[in-house]
Amino acid sequence: MAPSSISSLRGIEVQQATATWGGLVVGAVGLGAGSDPFPGKKNEEANPRISPPQACFLESGLAFQGTSVHSELIDRLFSKACFACTESEKQAFASDLDRIIKFVSVVNQVDTRGVEPVLGPIQFARLLRDDGHVADVEPFETLELCETARDVVHAVRPEPKREP
Amino acid sequence: MTELRGVRAQRDALDSREISAVELCELHLNEIRRKDPLLNSFITIDEEGALQAAKSADQRLGRQDRVQEVTGIPIAHKDVFYMRDTLTTCASGMLQEFKPLHDATIVARLADAGAVCLGKTNMDEFAMGSSNRTSFFGAVRNPWDLSRVPGGSSGGMAAAVAADLVPLASGSDTGGSIRQPAAFCGVSGLRPTYGRVSRHGMIPYAPSLDQAGPCARTVEDLGIMLVAMEGYDPKDSTTSDRAATDTRKSWGPRTLGVPAAFMQQMEEDLWSPFGKSIHAFRRQGYRVQRIELPHFDIAVAAYYLIATAEASTNLARYHGLRSGPRATEFNGVSHSHSQTHSEALGTEVKRRLLAGTYALSERNGGRLLVQAQKIRRLVTEDLLKAFKSVDLVVTPTTPTTAFELEESADSPVRMYSNDAFTVPSALAGLPALTVPCGFVGGLPAGVQLIAKHFHESELLSTGRDFQRETDWHLSVPQLPTA
């Protein structure tokens, strides 16, 4: 049975729909029959075509407490980001930014106690190559490299002349 | 063009001398002239350079000198990749006259392999967008319905491949920028493992997420382009020296994991093509089981914090002092910088830079950014844990089909939710493939496969199996004459 409406995302119909996939149970976890998993005030940001959990968090009123993009903040951000804008542009961006900050602030709802932040996927993908001996550098070559480096540095940033 | 659709057919025709590389190049240039005024998928068309490259390819073919799978095959590069002495704009007014002094590594590698580059494809400005409406050079249109978006940020890439303007195109994928447009336009796209393909010469958006990859009609063609692009590059310290992808290996039926979480986020019309995809896999002997990815829902919010924070650092370099346009009226260096920034960058880029500045600010968003980085670890660990019980994770590529050009244009947050299914693998640096899996109301839908790090071979094998069982990838949009 195919789902007949968007409301079928919200309740028992989900399980009915998944049954058509040959017994593969891929339903909305924890949704009771007929219950509304997204209670509370409906948020205007929710995409009318889908019901992203992000919107659900916003709707629950739990997502974001006490932050709004006020004039002082927007001025500071414009200054730090090096933007010059008119007052009307600032107001438009303040409204957008307010919505974006609310959207991303749902990250606060996850319990991350004891979790180390990660800066990139390198440690998971084990990208870095093993250290290995490539080639010997002759002492003379090392001296030459140093000499060149000093010349380059001096060319860019000459030392002040000293009085004899 | 019908007989010469795809790399395999073109390779056979070139090898048997049924057609020369120059003739093939001219054939595609004609298609671009005929169709691209409707699509706007190219920013730069380099006819002279393309014909020159095609002549060289013919000479190589004549001498049988280093002939590779892509020798003589027309390709296009997303305008995010440096191409020597060729306009490279990143679809921004800031770089509208920028011509790099060197090639990006993938551009150089494909040129060395004899591929014939026809030009640079349109995209969202600085790769920031999921609709290709933020380009300085105008929106790209979806070849399946010209009133709809092709997806983004690599919208020009996907539209060009779907409309048969080129059989192969390069793209970049930060949070789904190859896979989402490929799904919207009914073609195949691959985001390789972070580190598989060099990013040297690729204008960065968020370096801890950015990855270059191929787009083509079939999975077989994706493999051909990947082999020509991938590999260790001393100019990119994040590239890996792992062995090249074995694009011919067949892995046989695998165990697929379907995460429960995405169901809540998906447009109901897409359930049918996704369900049929699962059946198609099962018919081939694949086992399918449900898996849990507890942090799947929250990944997109974490992604936008991390990506905008990195972008606000990256784009600080575009201030008009050393290169690019500069504001004409200013009072001092600092004022020149802010005026130039404001005049030359588009609205969505400014929005994201402001959000990134907020995220990087200790007083405001610093705590949020650290929290996002912790969630990045949780999302990655969820996926790696899932791979202990399944070989690949399968989801729809997008929560909706291609939307109207005007839809959600005033709501950045609605736009961001389009990346919900593609972001988790990007955060984890995992390879992911999208293949067409049906149509909803005349618009293509895609199914996404995610594999372990550096298991592109397994992804491509599974994608080929899927395309042997289905024929969605063979559908071609019918465009009116421009």
Side-chain angles (χ1 to χ4, degrees):
Chain A
M1 185 195 308
S4 58
S5 71
I6 195 75
S7 64
S8 60
L9 286 166
R10 302 183 174 188
I12 191 71
E13 291 95 333
V14 170
Q15 290 170 357
Q16 289 173 338
T18 56
T20 63
W21 298 1
L24 173 68
V25 181
V26 186
V29 185
L31 296 186
S35 67
D36 184 353
F38 314 136
K41 185 182 164 201
K42 299 303 172 199
N43 189 292
E44 61 179 15
E45 281 304 315
N47 189 327
R49 299 174 67 185
I50 54 175
S51 297
Q54 288 77 15
C56 311
F57 285 120
L58 292 176
E59 286 162 5
S60 71
L62 298 170
F64 197 70
Q65 292 159 356
T67 304
S68 62
V69 178
H70 48 78
S71 145
E72 185 195 342
L73 173 60
I74 199 76
D75 280 343
R76 199 162 61 234
L77 291 179
F78 268 85
S79 167
K80 284 186 185 298
C82 291
F83 286 132
C85 278
T86 62
E87 280 306 312
S88 62
E89 281 177 310
K90 277 186 187 174
Q91 279 178 11
F93 277 116
S95 165
D96 286 346
L97 203 56
D98 193 42
R99 290 188 287 180
I100 292 169
I101 293 169
K102 282 177 180 165
F103 175 73
V104 297
S105 294
V106 297
V107 297
N108 279 334
Q109 298 199 337
V110 179
D111 182 356
T112 57
R113 280 172 294 185
V115 178
E116 282 295 310
V118 60
L119 292 173
I122 287 180
Q123 65 190 90
F124 294 106
R126 294 191 290 111
L127 287 175
L128 297 180
R129 295 168 289 282
D130 293 331
D131 289 336
H133 182 84
V134 178
D136 287 324
V137 180
E138 294 297 324
F140 176 74
E141 197 180 348
T142 312
L143 281 174
E144 197 174 46
L145 284 171
C146 294
E147 191 69 22
T148 312
R150 196 181 64 191
D151 290 347
V152 169
V153 170
H154 284 191
V156 175
R157 188 181 293 173
E159 288 181 19
K161 284 182 182 173
R162 291 178 184 166
E163 292 297 324
Chain B
M1 280 297 290
T2 312
E3 304 78 32
L4 289 173
R5 185 164 292 138
V7 176
R8 177 56 48 214
Q10 296 188 358
R11 178 80 269 138
D12 290 345
L14 286 167
D15 289 345
S16 63
R17 305 289 193 272
E18 285 173 40
I19 194 168
S20 70
V22 169
E23 287 166 338
L24 190 60
C25 175
E26 283 173 341
L27 203 61
H28 282 86
L29 287 172
N30 282 336
E31 287 290 289
I32 292 172
R33 283 188 210 107
R34 192 166 70 84
K35 295 177 180 171
D36 203 51
L38 294 169
L39 300 172
N40 194 28
S41 64
F42 277 82
I43 291 176
T44 301
I45 301 164
D46 182 13
E47 292 194 21
E48 196 181 323
L51 289 168
Q52 190 60 45
K55 279 178 195 161
S56 300
D58 275 334
Q59 287 167 0
R60 275 171 75 162
L61 286 162
R63 295 194 306 265
Q64 283 297 298
D65 172 25
R66 295 179 295 123
V67 175
Q68 299 180 29
E69 294 269 46
V70 294
T71 305
I73 303 292
I75 62 163
H77 288 297
K78 184 176 178 179
D79 210 21
V80 73
F81 296 107
Y82 277 25
M83 223 170 126
R84 187 175 175 172
D85 296 332
T86 305
L87 212 55
T88 299
T89 68
C90 223
S92 177
M94 183 62 85
L95 297 174
Q96 58 185 291
E97 293 173 359
F98 174 58
K99 290 185 177 177
L101 297 173
H102 64 89
D103 285 335
T105 295
I106 69 145
V107 170
R109 283 184 177 172
L110 281 157
D112 287 348
V116 176
C117 178
L118 305 189
K120 310 290 291 292
T121 56
N122 207 342
M123 54 183 281
D124 278 302
E125 184 178 6
F126 282 110
M128 296 184 192
S130 308
S131 63
N132 218 137
R133 292 180 297 202
T134 71
S135 168
F136 177 75
F137 300 93
V140 179
R141 291 169 185 272
N142 191 314
W144 290 97
D145 180 344
L146 297 175
S147 70
R148 291 176 184 269
V149 303
S153 64
S154 312
M157 166 206 79
V161 172
D164 276 341
L165 307 188
V166 280
L168 297 173
S170 66
S172 66
D173 188 313
T174 303
S177 288
I178 290 175
R179 293 162 286 160
Q180 187 248 22
F184 276 11
C185 292
V187 293
S188 307
L190 174 70
R191 176 198 164 92
T193 306
Y194 187 88
R196 172 68 85 180
V197 176
S198 170
R199 300 171 303 163
H200 173 69
M202 184 172 111
I203 296 170
Y205 163 22
S208 82
L209 295 152
D210 292 339
Q211 186 55 64
C215 177
R217 189 168 293 286
T218 66
V219 173
E220 184 187 1
D221 290 357
L222 286 181
I224 288 171
M225 191 166 185
L226 178 66
V227 166
M229 294 166 79
E230 70 180 355
Y232 169 62
D233 176 12
K235 294 172 185 163
D236 177 355
S237 62
T238 62
T239 51
S240 168
D241 56 359
R242 298 281 183 112
T245 305
D246 184 349
T247 57
R248 294 179 193 278
K249 180 177 177 181
S250 176
W251 288 68
R254 318 298 294 153
T255 302
L256 306 179
V258 180
F262 74 83
M263 288 290 291
Q264 297 174 46
Q265 306 184 40
M266 193 174 155
E267 192 175 65
E268 62 181 74
D269 289 345
L270 284 170
W271 290 21
S272 171
F274 184 66
K276 284 177 183 167
S277 306
I278 297 293
H279 278 304
F281 281 120
R282 281 194 159 145
R283 280 197 299 275
Q284 298 229 323
Y286 281 74
R287 293 174 299 281
V288 184
Q289 68 183 60
R290 172 177 155 159
I291 55 168
E292 298 294 337
L293 297 175
H295 302 94
F296 192 95
D297 295 349
I298 208 77
V300 74
Y303 164 80
Y304 271 98
L305 273 162
I306 293 166
T308 57
E310 292 186 20
S312 81
T313 312
N314 269 320
L315 269 66
R317 75 186 73 173
Y318 301 113
H319 41 51
L321 296 183
R322 294 199 191 94
S323 61
R326 186 185 302 169
T328 48
E329 291 183 14
F330 55 87
N331 180 20
V333 172
S334 178
H335 190 230
S336 160
H337 189 166
S338 59
Q339 283 293 116
T340 303
H341 237 166
S342 300
E343 288 173 18
L345 295 176
T347 303
E348 180 58 24
V349 173
K350 287 180 191 169
R351 211 180 261 146
R352 294 196 192 198
L353 295 188
L354 285 169
T357 305
Y358 179 88
L360 287 173
S361 155
E362 176 69 30
R363 192 161 15 150
N364 303 310
R367 192 169 45 85
L368 280 177
L369 182 59
V370 174
Q371 179 75 351
Q373 289 166 334
K374 289 179 176 180
I375 289 170
R376 184 174 192 174
R377 178 182 293 278
L378 293 173
V379 169
T380 307
E381 287 176 351
D382 283 351
L383 282 159
L384 297 182
K385 186 179 168 193
F387 286 131
K388 288 180 179 166
S389 57
V390 299
D391 299 306
L392 300 161
V393 173
V394 58
T395 74
T397 310
T398 56
T400 70
T401 50
F403 44 87
E404 296 277 351
L405 275 162
E406 300 306 319
E407 190 177 324
S408 302
D410 59 341
S411 176
V413 171
R414 278 185 198 168
M415 196 54 50
Y416 300 166
S417 61
N418 279 296
D419 299 332
F421 300 164
T422 50
V423 152
S425 55
L427 286 173
L430 293 165
L433 168 76
T434 180
V435 287
C437 71
F439 287 84
V440 176
L443 297 168
V447 62
Q448 176 183 229
L449 293 153
I450 304 169
K452 301 180 197 92
H453 292 116
F454 296 104
H455 277 235
E456 282 84 354
S457 169
E458 194 174 2
L459 270 185
L460 295 172
S461 165
T462 306
R464 283 196 305 271
D465 287 349
F466 185 78
Q467 292 190 334
R468 265 196 294 273
E469 183 70 22
T470 62
D471 59 2
W472 304 113
H473 57 288
L474 302 177
S475 303
V476 180
Q478 299 302 314
L479 283 168
T481 307

